[in-house]
Amino acid sequence: MKKITAFLVLNILLLGSLGGSVSAQAAGGSVLIKNATVMTAIRGTLEATDILVQNGKITRIGKNLSAPAGVRTIDATGKFVTPGIIDCHSHTMMDAVNEGSFSVTSMTRIRDVLNPKDIAIYRGLAGGVTAANLLHGSANSIGGQNSSVKFKWGKPVEDFLIPDAPPGIKFAMGENVKRSNFQPQGGVQPRYPRTRMGVVEVMRDAFLRAKDYKQSWDDFRAKKTKVPPRRDLELEPLVEILEGKRLVHAHGYRSDEHLNLLRIADEFGFKVATLQHGLEGYKIAPEIAKHGAGVSIFTDSWSYKLEAYDNTPYNAYIMWKAGVNVSINSDSNERMRRLNLDAAKVMKYGGVPEEEALKMITLNPAIQMGIGKRTGSIEVGKDGDLVIWNMHPFSPYSRVEMTLIEGDVYFDRAGDIARRAELAREREALERLEQNRPAGAGAAAPRPPSQFENGHLDDADHIDGGKR
Amino acid sequence: MRTKLILVLCAVFCIAFSSSAYGQSYAITNARIVTVSGPAIEKGTIVVREGLIFAVGANVAVPADAIVFDGTGMTVYPGFIDAVSNLGMPAAPQRPAGPGGGAAAAAAAAAAQQAPTSNSNYPAGLRPEDMAADDLRAGDGQFEAARAAGFTTALVTGRSGIFNGQSAVINLAGDNVSGMIVRSPLAHHISFATIPGGYPGSLMGTFSALRQMFLDAQRQMEIEKLYEANPAGIRRPAADRSLSALYPALNRQMPVVFNAVTEREIVRALDFIREFNLRGIIAGGHEAGSVVDRLKAQNVPVIFSLNLPRRTTSAAADADPETLMTLRMREAVPKAPAALNNAGVKFAFQSGGLQSLTDFFANAAKTTENGLSKEAAIRAMTLGAAEILGVDKQLGSIEVGKIANLAVVKGDVFARDRFVSRVMVDGKVFEFKEQPRPPQGGPRGPGGPGGNPGGGAGGPGGPSVAGTYNITINIPGQPLPATLTITQQGNTVSGTMTSQLGTTAMTGNMSASGFSMSGGIEFGGSSITIVMQGSVAGSQISGNIDSPQGQIPFTGTRNP
């Protein structure tokens, strides 16, 4: 059995790495996980419990379940199972991050620049991440349209998109938007806005234009005008925000700015889905709770620029206490791999209960992204997005044994290790090929590997949009 | 008697007069003829008259007035077609190199965009109305190297911008532009590029800008119809020639060629083709092998670039190894044409910026070593290309009535010692002298007779350029120091350039104006070809480096 399992896993990994031609036509996988400590992130922790996933959906949770014919069983005795981790602020698998030419670039779409072969996806899976909110950068007052994805490594890019996820969009305020820390090149006019005042004006102006635009279509549909209005890809998503059909994920640090945005939202009658970063969220927790916005934060990362100083690791606790939906994000290919430990920290700082801490990297981000009905917790009827850990995931010694999305295994530590010798042989053979041999003698200075090129604090560093 | 003399004289004069024009008849006899459209003729004759193929076959009579070429030991192919090229196009304008390209460059870019060079509402680079044919340079000499490699036809488009310019099919001969053009315009060409210093400044923006333009063009077309039917009560539609230039694409009359090399670029192009129901063509297509199913389903042909990826720089011992993905990609690319062929996806070959067109055939041979039949490879550079370009009634095979574009090759076109002895373009003959070859595997022989192929510029004449130079490559805003070592043997030069980007090996030759070398550098995961041209005066060296990113000057001094 174990051999067959290894073979299957190997196959999945191999197919994954070759990619492209293999499409997830099926509804999802079926699997039975036996005898695990199941942290449901909704109804407590269940000891010695089995989870049955059929065609991608969790169908049963209980004891002594048996696998239907043909369904693989994974023995998880002594192991922990959590929902897949969801990263509510990510730029993984994006070939561009910022369209920095204008301060309103709502016409841009992350969907157009996804790279399903970004190795960071696989590394994220190895850290238990199964889904992410892929956001435009924070260079603009109103940035581009997001993509909500699951990390279906090896599948064609269209399979990554969560089909029923509501569309979203990036907003931003503060230093990145007013280009405080970026000097325009000589001869180029600094981009408007240059002040926080200006940022608010740009947003208000955009929504006023969107209202006019909506009116022009309403008039045409009511046959008041003869000629159909021009489809404006910049204003269409703003109309969707006004109609409550598109989620706003707004980057910001200072409490006064968050309040400014909430006032704009109230003025134009929409809700902000998440305040991203929200380092001063603890100062205005009741106001945020009243508006109904979520906040997606770093647990304990601050002081990397002036507007990011006034933070505390108790931020999560204070906002949670006030009834705010809090999630913990990474904004980083590297930090994404250990969000479990960022969640553990909020138990230490303030004493957020264990399940609430786990929710901050699973169910809460799912709710913030509007996919809480299908994923984020271990419940019958939800997607089989599951992580098997070797021990309690809040231990610094914990590691991911296996990551499943909709019942299919996308990361398997044992399979990965088993494959390494074979990969080394493959590399050796490939390096012997003429096209893979260096052209001449003579050594050049080493170039930094691409993953170290952007040691970014937040996403405004990618101003060229040329991240590879 | 007297009449006879006049007749003879006339015949002599007439031949002398017409031999430089297209009226002369030619016959190539005793040659192996690869017709491509039908079976090869092992020993046959081709008769060319008035620039067209007049007769072809094993038993064809040679007309009395024809100049006869003995084709014994030769293979005649249809003239080869480079299915996407910049031949005849001016060098790319200087552009800032990459992000943060420096103040002066940014200012220049911004100024260039504001310059009222067009009545378009769009910045340079987003003007689909631009035509390659308008920029084509006159003059026959520029095609000499291409003809010497056996090429007679190319699809040419511009080098820069998101819209590269509507392309033209040209025959590679003729002193004036109108004489070269076989068909213009042929297709729109789109690169997923950005507008330096403006919108779109990112890949994301490129897609949004294209999408908005195609939507605007659709709308303008609709409103024009409404207005034409009854203008009363309708605001006059704008006369936007950039948008009108997209009508033929939206109406599926004109193909749209997307420069897409990697799998994800191809997928993005296919998505865009589907979104606007375009007649799409993929150019580049290195990773097309992974998306054959979609290419087939959407009936999108591929113009595969024979500029095959290869590692061109050596890294220091302490550098990280290349990723397995990169290594696998370089292995997979030469297999892509076979995959396309097996799946029934139409494909053709293009040079893809290869500096030496001789490599075109060496690399085509690599695709045949990776599963593609030689026949299919030949087809991809002749009739297959003509079909994709829609000129297969005129070009691409050796058939009676077609344009007399022929390549006469000694031996096999895939052989290492292949030599093109003669090409015919529109029935006009170009002959080439075979160069003595260096011994296989050994160093290049010293000296060697001068004279470039085709008898172009004169010999080197000047002093040796050999030496080691400290040079500065003047990338605007970020000058890049480098060490250049040149060795010279007769007319042949080779060199290595080392900078923080790595080491590039280059080869080339001398001409009256100096040296010219080309080589590949690894840049952003793919290989690009650069051409370094310059001259040495005393201890000073200067010149330009041409790359797909534009032309960058360099200067330096010789190390004593």
Side-chain angles (χ1 to χ4, degrees):
Chain A
M1 185 64 213
K2 210 162 184 190
K3 219 167 180 181
I4 295 169
T5 304
F7 175 72
L8 278 173
V9 168
L10 211 71
N11 256 341
I12 288 164
L13 287 170
L14 276 172
L15 290 173
S17 62
L18 296 172
S21 53
V22 194
S23 178
Q25 302 299 337
S30 300
V31 67
L32 175 66
I33 298 171
K34 290 285 289 178
N35 203 26
T37 301
V38 179
M39 300 173 75
T40 62
I42 183 99
R43 278 185 258 290
T45 299
L46 312 170
E47 299 295 337
T49 296
D50 307 341
I51 305 166
L52 179 63
V53 180
Q54 288 176 294
N55 299 321
K57 296 279 182 192
I58 298 170
T59 51
R60 291 188 70 188
I61 302 165
K63 293 191 193 288
N64 302 319
L65 303 183
S66 53
V71 171
R72 173 189 173 189
T73 301
I74 298 169
D75 180 12
T77 305
K79 293 177 178 165
F80 283 66
V81 176
T82 66
I85 293 173
I86 298 171
D87 190 348
C88 195
H89 188 134
S90 170
H91 307 293
T92 303
M93 69 183 283
M94 286 162 52
D95 276 351
V97 177
N98 277 298
E99 171 57 54
S101 50
F102 302 130
S103 200
V104 179
T105 57
S106 34
M107 60 288 202
T108 62
R109 304 175 184 176
I110 300 303
R111 170 68 184 93
D112 289 330
V113 295
L114 294 178
N115 171 15
K117 299 234 171 132
D118 185 350
I119 192 65
I121 298 166
Y122 185 70
R123 292 173 182 158
L125 287 165
V129 179
T130 55
N133 184 15
L134 304 183
L135 292 171
H136 185 281
S138 55
N140 306 341
S141 312
I142 299 179
Q145 303 167 30
N146 79 331
S147 279
S148 294
V149 297
K150 288 199 188 176
F151 280 174
K152 294 184 180 172
W153 175 247
K155 297 284 165 60
V157 67
E158 56 269 23
D159 289 9
F160 280 64
L161 304 168
I162 300 172
D164 50 3
I169 192 167
K170 182 72 172 286
F171 277 38
M173 303 181 103
E175 291 178 15
N176 293 351
V177 184
K178 62 197 187 71
R179 315 307 292 148
S180 305
N181 308 313
F182 306 87
Q183 286 310 310
Q185 294 168 337
V188 173
Q189 283 295 310
R191 194 188 75 181
Y192 179 82
R194 296 293 284 175
T195 64
R196 290 186 155 81
M197 232 174 358
V199 174
V200 173
E201 190 277 337
V202 164
M203 288 183 177
R204 185 172 282 120
D205 173 73
F207 279 113
L208 288 171
R209 286 188 291 131
K211 283 178 86 166
D212 285 350
Y213 176 67
K214 184 179 181 313
Q215 187 63 50
S216 71
W217 275 102
D218 290 347
D219 288 350
F220 175 70
R221 290 192 184 107
K223 301 206 187 308
K224 288 183 193 163
T225 52
K226 262 174 116 168
V227 176
R230 170 181 187 256
R231 270 195 67 193
D232 190 320
L233 297 182
E234 179 197 2
L235 298 179
E236 269 180 16
L238 303 185
V239 171
E240 289 168 359
I241 294 170
L242 293 173
E243 292 171 342
K245 294 174 186 162
R246 186 174 286 276
L247 304 180
V248 172
H249 300 288
H251 159 114
Y253 291 95
R254 281 178 20 182
S255 53
D256 56 335
E257 290 197 318
H258 292 320
L259 291 175
N260 268 337
L261 179 67
L262 297 183
R263 268 200 293 275
I264 289 177
D266 290 343
E267 180 182 335
F268 288 94
F270 65 90
K271 294 287 175 204
V272 174
T274 64
L275 299 170
Q276 295 284 334
H277 306 318
L279 264 58
E280 294 183 16
Y282 63 94
K283 296 182 184 174
I284 51 168
E287 288 80 0
I288 297 171
K290 186 169 167 243
H291 180 89
V295 185
S296 191
I297 62 166
F298 306 131
T299 306
D300 57 354
S301 174
W302 66 85
S303 292
Y304 40 81
K305 56 173 139 178
L306 191 62
E307 65 180 351
Y309 265 78
D310 210 356
N311 188 219
T312 161
Y314 293 86
N315 195 19
Y317 169 78
I318 295 168
M319 289 194 289
W320 168 74
K321 198 82 179 153
V324 176
N325 178 319
V326 177
S327 73
I328 298 165
N329 70 59
S330 80
D331 193 6
S332 153
N333 286 343
E334 184 271 318
R335 286 200 293 234
M336 164 173 71
R337 300 173 301 119
R338 44 192 174 82
L339 279 169
N340 54 317
L341 300 183
D342 277 339
K345 289 175 201 163
V346 303
M347 292 180 71
K348 175 179 167 66
Y349 296 107
V352 175
E354 180 181 283
E355 181 153 279
E356 293 302 317
L358 180 61
K359 274 188 193 174
M360 290 186 187
I361 53 170
T362 54
L363 186 57
N364 288 1
I367 291 167
Q368 291 177 349
M369 290 161 68
I371 54 172
K373 285 212 168 89
R374 66 145 58 220
T375 186
S377 58
I378 301 179
E379 290 177 85
V380 169
K382 281 201 169 180
D383 292 348
D385 302 343
L386 302 166
V387 187
I388 303 175
W389 305 80
N390 67 330
M391 62 175 74
H392 194 296
F394 288 173
S395 162
Y397 301 105
S398 66
R399 60 172 187 244
V400 172
E401 297 286 342
M402 214 178 256
T403 305
L404 296 91
I405 300 175
E406 292 162 20
D408 288 321
V409 177
Y410 284 87
F411 172 77
D412 172 38
R413 187 178 147 82
D416 185 288
I417 292 167
R419 231 177 121 225
R420 287 177 194 175
E422 178 207 329
L423 290 178
R425 281 194 298 278
E426 185 192 354
R427 165 179 288 280
E428 217 175 290
L430 286 170
E431 282 177 342
R432 275 198 295 271
L433 294 174
E434 186 208 347
Q435 60 263 47
N436 282 329
R437 282 202 305 263
R447 269 184 291 164
S450 58
Q451 66 266 35
F452 297 139
E453 276 168 11
N454 299 300
H456 62 289
L457 303 167
D458 64 27
D459 46 42
D461 294 18
H462 301 294
I463 190 60
D464 63 332
K467 188 181 82 149
R468 293 191 73 95
Chain B
M1 181 67 206
R2 211 177 139 197
T3 320
K4 220 171 188 178
L5 184 68
I6 289 171
L7 274 174
V8 169
L9 270 174
C10 177
V12 169
F13 273 110
C14 291
I15 289 166
F17 175 76
S18 61
S19 63
S20 63
Y22 297 132
Q24 175 64 48
S25 298
Y26 299 94
I28 305 170
T29 58
N30 299 320
R32 181 166 187 269
I33 301 166
V34 178
T35 63
V36 180
S37 53
I41 300 162
E42 285 312 316
K43 191 171 182 184
T45 299
I46 303 170
V47 177
V48 170
R49 217 186 248 284
E50 300 286 338
L52 300 174
I53 296 168
F54 182 73
V56 57
N59 301 301
V60 168
V62 176
D65 64 339
I67 293 175
V68 178
F69 301 124
D70 180 13
T72 306
M74 303 284 178
T75 309
V76 185
Y77 298 91
F80 298 115
I81 300 172
D82 187 348
V84 178
S85 157
N86 304 124
L87 274 170
M89 300 298 292
Q94 195 164 308
R95 263 174 41 175
Q113 277 175 53
Q114 284 153 15
T117 52
S118 159
N119 69 4
S120 175
N121 294 325
Y122 295 87
L126 266 179
R127 291 177 186 157
E129 71 272 28
D130 288 349
M131 298 250 188
D134 294 342
D135 289 342
L136 266 174
R137 292 178 300 194
D140 193 66
Q142 58 187 333
F143 304 127
E144 193 64 33
R147 285 190 301 247
F151 288 91
T152 60
T153 303
L155 178 73
V156 297
T157 184
R159 295 168 200 267
S160 59
I162 294 170
F163 287 102
N164 309 141
Q166 295 177 37
S167 54
V169 180
I170 61 167
N171 272 348
L172 301 179
D175 283 318
N176 56 56
V177 169
S178 56
M180 300 171 192
I181 290 175
V182 178
R183 182 180 294 180
S184 173
L186 190 106
H188 283 293
H189 289 251
I190 292 177
S191 293
F192 299 138
T194 56
I195 306 286
Y199 172 78
S202 71
L203 184 62
M204 247 182 318
T206 302
F207 282 95
S208 329
L210 283 171
R211 188 174 283 124
Q212 184 73 64
M213 276 188 87
F214 276 84
L215 285 172
D216 286 348
Q218 269 175 349
R219 175 170 185 269
Q220 184 173 289
M221 198 159 44
E222 280 160 24
I223 293 180
E224 276 177 13
K225 275 183 209 150
L226 281 176
Y227 192 75
E228 221 164 284
N230 180 13
I234 298 178
R235 277 180 69 95
R236 168 173 50 87
D240 187 321
R241 68 174 185 165
S242 297
L243 296 182
S244 352
L246 294 175
Y247 297 175
L250 287 164
N251 292 333
R252 296 180 61 82
Q253 290 154 352
M254 183 182 275
V256 183
V257 180
F258 288 84
N259 291 314
V261 176
T262 64
E263 180 185 335
R264 57 189 194 266
E265 285 172 341
I266 298 168
V267 166
R268 286 166 192 159
L270 287 171
D271 286 347
F272 199 86
I273 289 164
R274 193 166 52 192
E275 187 173 345
F276 288 97
N277 189 26
L278 305 173
R279 265 177 66 199
I281 297 174
I282 299 296
H286 275 174
E287 292 184 328
S290 338
V291 267
V292 281
D293 293 346
R294 275 199 69 181
L295 289 162
K296 177 77 183 161
Q298 288 185 240
N299 192 23
V300 171
V302 175
I303 303 176
F304 181 84
S305 163
L306 283 172
N307 193 354
L308 300 179
R310 52 162 306 154
R311 185 169 175 172
T312 52
T313 53
S314 53
D318 54 351
D320 280 357
E322 292 190 295
T323 65
L324 207 49
M325 264 189 223
T326 302
L327 298 172
R328 280 178 182 155
M329 178 274 288
R330 293 205 198 102
E331 187 210 22
V333 170
K335 296 177 178 168
L340 295 171
N341 197 43
N342 296 342
V345 176
K346 283 188 177 179
F347 72 101
F349 286 146
Q350 60 155 318
S351 57
L354 273 175
Q355 209 53 47
S356 165
L357 285 171
T358 315
D359 291 345
F360 186 96
F361 298 95
N363 289 351
K366 284 177 191 162
T367 70
T368 66
E369 290 157 16
N370 282 282
L372 189 69
S373 70
K374 286 190 174 177
E375 292 69 34
I378 297 282
R379 203 171 191 285
M381 45 182 104
T382 55
L383 190 56
E387 283 170 359
I388 291 173
L389 306 184
V391 291
D392 52 309
K393 289 204 172 95
Q394 300 137 279
L395 293 166
S397 60
I398 304 181
E399 285 179 87
V400 171
K402 281 198 168 178
I403 294 172
N405 279 8
L406 302 170
V408 184
V409 179
K410 187 177 157 190
D412 187 316
V413 75
F414 294 117
R416 274 183 79 92
D417 60 349
R418 60 182 288 281
F419 164 64
V420 178
S421 69
R422 203 169 264 133
V423 299
M424 231 181 240
V425 185
D426 275 321
K428 193 174 174 185
V429 179
F430 299 88
E431 295 195 39
F432 307 101
K433 285 202 183 100
E434 191 164 12
Q435 303 290 305
R437 283 167 192 283
Q440 202 72 27
R444 289 193 183 262
N452 295 329
S464 168
V465 297
T468 300
Y469 302 85
N470 288 327
I471 63 168
T472 302
I473 302 164
N474 293 307
I475 298 167
Q478 43 183 196
L480 178 69
T483 307
L484 176 67
T485 305
I486 305 180
T487 54
Q488 182 181 356
Q489 283 173 322
N491 220 12
T492 306
V493 286
S494 57
T496 53
M497 181 168 67
T498 303
S499 72
Q500 68 186 61
L501 294 178
T503 298
T504 304
M506 294 177 290
T507 55
N509 47 41
M510 295 296 300
S511 71
S513 56
F515 65 87
S516 173
M517 301 188 288
S518 65
I521 60 170
E522 192 85 351
F523 191 77
S526 64
S527 163
I528 61 169
T529 303
I530 59 164
V531 185
M532 190 170 202
Q533 289 174 310
S535 57
V536 176
S539 64
Q540 301 294 314
I541 189 168
S542 62
N544 286 302
I545 296 173
D546 269 312
S547 76
Q549 275 70 40
Q551 196 179 62
I552 304 158
F554 71 89
T555 55
T557 53
R558 194 197 300 256
N559 285 348

